[in-house]
Amino acid sequence: MKYNEAKDKFIQAWGTLAGSWGISRSMAQVHALLLISPDSLSAEEVMEDLKISRGSANMNLRDLIDWGLVFKELVPGERKEFFYAEKDIWKVAKQIINERRKREIEPILALLEELKKVEGNKNDKKHKAFIDTVGNLESVVDKADFALTRAIKLDENALVGALFKLFK
Amino acid sequence: MKYNEAKDKFIQAWGTLAGSWGISRSMAQVHALLLISPDSLSAEEVMEDLKISRGSANMNLRDLIDWGLVFKELVPGERKEFFYAEKDIWKVAKQIINERRKREIEPILALLEELKKVEGNKNDKKHKAFIDTVGNLESVVDKADFALTRAIKLDENALVGALFKLFK
DNA sequence: CATAACTTTCAAAATATATTGAAAGATATT
DNA sequence: AATATCTTTCAATATATTTTGAAAGTTATG
């Protein structure tokens, strides 16, 4: 396989995968491009390379910065901004996990906590099933949140070592 | 909060959350409804309760069965089929993790393995960066796959206990 | 075997999401 | 302070996804 073919496949696949992970396809494609670029790229280069509009390039770069996955760089003597991605994949993974945790797990836990307070007859089958399901769900989500929160505080080797022992 | 309000909020929230997790919104809504129903429901009841079409009710129930989250039940004396959800949330979580692992992680690992074989000059900066990124990505994804595969083989208490020790 | 009861299919329609690009907004340069 | 360079915005448009519902398919019943 030639470099250009491999590059396109990589960007394409990363976009598709991300799509099923709550990250927009083109944001993931921009990310993929920056991940394999040894040098920082300008918005112009990104839009030309991926054949996307100026607006889209700008928005996606912005979103990637919000996610903490991409950084701006100001090159002396150049007017325009350059962008580069965090290359340490473990840091990337931690960053994504933590962002999604904050954006999704925290709100759902707050909601479940609310829903447990539903009024009603304790002898009603439906009411009981509802309380049970919501409570069990909260318990599992809460444990997952706990584990993720701690896991991202470790460095990769510590986590891998610990997991290896755990599952030996 | 009244039962009906809580129920609607739960179904709504579960649908929204699932949307950002690669599961379709209405499949998640049907799932939510069955999760809090003490009794099995017919397709008819699902479509009436959620105000969705017959076709959609059928397709989503089918998909939920494919995901191993919902089962058919044949009630003696009744022509129609009834559906009920797995209520053990830990089992539900394991099932979802494993399905997504199979559907998404396995293909991406196969692709990354392919991409590492890209032809090219080892002294080219771009080529080198590409190989590095793909290799690092494969390593992280592979470790995650390993951990998930093992984790879903444990029962909930064993996993929680082990994680608690790990992160103490 | 004809009819009724129920399930499945799928092309068309509706809805939701992503993308564009031209114009407005910044900021630097002369 | 006028102009050039670059960034951001956002309404319009294009694309993708979901949903519908009527018709076809299937299976049970008398």
Side-chain angles (χ1 to χ4, degrees):
Chain A
M1 198 183 330
K2 292 289 197 311
Y3 171 77
N4 277 325
E5 190 193 341
K7 172 185 165 187
D8 288 350
K9 272 200 188 171
F10 177 70
I11 290 172
Q12 174 58 37
W14 202 238
T16 304
L17 185 74
S20 48
W21 275 84
I23 290 165
S24 91
R25 197 171 53 83
S26 63
M27 172 169 144
Q29 287 180 342
V30 173
H31 188 215
L33 175 63
L34 291 176
L35 271 179
I36 60 172
S37 292
D39 306 308
S40 307
L41 301 180
S42 67
E44 193 92 9
E45 288 171 302
V46 170
M47 68 178 265
E48 277 166 10
D49 203 316
L50 298 178
K51 282 146 179 64
I52 60 177
S53 70
R54 186 170 298 285
S56 177
N58 181 269
M59 259 176 52
N60 288 308
L61 285 166
R62 203 173 218 301
D63 286 349
L64 284 165
I65 290 171
D66 285 347
W67 277 75
L69 298 172
V70 163
F71 309 97
K72 273 188 194 178
E73 190 181 30
L74 291 165
V75 175
E78 288 269 18
R79 291 273 295 268
K80 58 188 157 216
E81 300 170 321
F82 288 80
F83 302 88
Y84 65 97
E86 169 61 59
K87 293 290 171 57
D88 179 335
I89 303 294
W90 171 241
K91 280 194 193 168
V92 171
K94 284 207 290 193
Q95 198 66 35
I96 293 175
I97 289 168
N98 203 35
E99 283 295 324
R100 300 208 64 190
R101 204 188 59 73
K102 280 191 292 187
R103 291 172 200 221
E104 290 155 31
I105 298 187
E106 286 178 1
I108 200 81
L109 281 176
L111 177 72
L112 292 174
E113 194 55 36
E114 265 313 293
L115 293 181
K116 281 199 304 186
K117 294 179 196 151
V118 62
E119 304 156 26
N121 181 349
K122 296 231 158 99
N123 295 319
D124 178 19
K125 227 169 34 165
K126 281 191 185 179
H127 183 266
K128 211 169 152 305
F130 184 83
I131 298 276
D132 273 8
T133 297
V134 170
N136 291 337
L137 205 45
E138 189 187 28
S139 156
V140 168
V141 174
D142 198 45
K143 283 168 189 160
D145 186 45
F146 176 82
L148 288 175
T149 304
R150 299 304 174 92
I152 61 180
K153 286 189 178 144
L154 298 176
D155 71 47
E156 183 177 7
N157 288 335
L159 182 63
V160 170
L163 287 174
F164 191 77
K165 259 186 267 171
L166 183 57
F167 295 129
K168 72 171 172 299
Chain B
M1 200 182 329
K2 293 289 197 312
Y3 172 77
N4 277 325
E5 190 193 341
K7 172 185 166 188
D8 289 350
K9 273 200 187 172
F10 178 71
I11 290 172
Q12 173 58 36
W14 203 238
T16 304
L17 186 75
S20 48
W21 275 85
I23 289 165
S24 91
R25 198 170 53 84
S26 63
M27 172 169 145
Q29 289 180 341
V30 173
H31 188 215
L33 175 63
L34 291 176
L35 271 179
I36 59 172
S37 292
D39 306 307
S40 306
L41 301 180
S42 67
E44 193 92 7
E45 288 171 301
V46 169
M47 68 179 265
E48 277 167 10
D49 202 316
L50 298 177
K51 282 147 179 65
I52 60 177
S53 71
R54 187 170 297 286
S56 177
N58 180 270
M59 260 177 51
N60 287 308
L61 285 166
R62 205 172 217 301
D63 286 348
L64 284 165
I65 290 170
D66 285 346
W67 276 74
L69 298 172
V70 163
F71 309 96
K72 273 189 194 178
E73 191 181 29
L74 291 165
V75 175
E78 288 269 18
R79 290 275 295 270
K80 59 187 156 217
E81 300 169 322
F82 288 80
F83 303 87
Y84 64 98
E86 169 62 59
K87 294 289 171 60
D88 180 335
I89 303 294
W90 171 242
K91 279 194 194 168
V92 171
K94 283 207 290 194
Q95 197 67 35
I96 293 175
I97 289 168
N98 203 35
E99 283 295 323
R100 302 207 63 189
R101 205 187 59 72
K102 279 191 291 187
R103 291 172 200 221
E104 290 155 32
I105 298 187
E106 286 178 1
I108 200 80
L109 281 175
L111 177 73
L112 292 174
E113 194 55 36
E114 265 312 294
L115 293 181
K116 280 200 305 186
K117 294 179 196 151
V118 62
E119 304 156 25
N121 180 351
K122 295 230 160 100
N123 296 319
D124 178 19
K125 228 170 31 164
K126 282 190 184 180
H127 183 267
K128 213 170 150 302
F130 185 83
I131 298 275
D132 274 8
T133 297
V134 170
N136 292 336
L137 207 44
E138 189 186 28
S139 156
V140 169
V141 174
D142 198 44
K143 283 167 189 162
D145 186 45
F146 176 83
L148 288 175
T149 304
R150 299 305 175 91
I152 61 180
K153 286 187 179 145
L154 298 176
D155 70 47
E156 183 177 8
N157 287 335
L159 182 63
V160 170
L163 287 173
F164 191 76
K165 257 187 269 171
L166 182 57
F167 296 129
K168 74 171 169 296

